[in-house]
Amino acid sequence: MTLLLSFFLITAVLITIFILMPLFRLISGPTIPDRVIALDTINTYIVAAMILYGAAFQEIIYIDVAIVYALLSYVATLYIAKYIERRAKDR
């Protein structure tokens, strides 16, 4: 295993560990905004993992997919925030 590939492997393990922390908040979060922030954080780590995978194996398609996934994640977060804001006004 080359030095660069072992660097990518260590980074992938760290990203996996970092995904577990917001996953706990997603499951046990007391409020909806806590869960939304946790989900957005997980999505950010997934995008980073896709870019890491694409760089490690020199596959450009994974970077393109990561860009589209990040854009869709951003739009989904905006819609969820709008829903939470509208729900707060109705109360």
Side-chain angles (χ1 to χ4, degrees), residues 39-80:
L39 186 63
D40 195 41
T41 304
I42 291 171
N43 285 335
T44 302
Y45 285 135
I46 289 173
V47 168
M50 282 194 267
I51 290 173
L52 181 72
Y53 187 82
F57 295 105
Q58 298 177 350
E59 294 286 335
I60 302 293
I61 190 69
Y62 290 107
I63 297 172
D64 294 339
V65 170
I67 291 170
V68 172
Y69 185 81
L71 179 65
L72 291 175
S73 172
Y74 175 71
V75 170
T77 303
L78 285 179
Y79 277 117
I80 292 171

Side-chain angles (χ1 to χ4, degrees), residues 26-46:
L26 181 66
I27 293 169
S28 68
T31 64
I32 293 176
D34 288 336
R35 291 183 173 142
V36 170
I37 290 171
L39 186 63
D40 195 41
T41 304
I42 291 171
N43 285 335
T44 302
Y45 285 135
I46 289 173

Side-chain angles (χ1 to χ4, degrees), residues 14-15 17 25 34 48 50 58-60 70 80 83-84 90:
L14 286 174
I15 288 176
I17 292 170
R25 176 55 65 188
D34 288 336
M50 282 194 267
Q58 298 177 350
E59 294 286 335
I60 302 293
I80 292 171
Y83 169 75
I84 291 172
D90 291 341

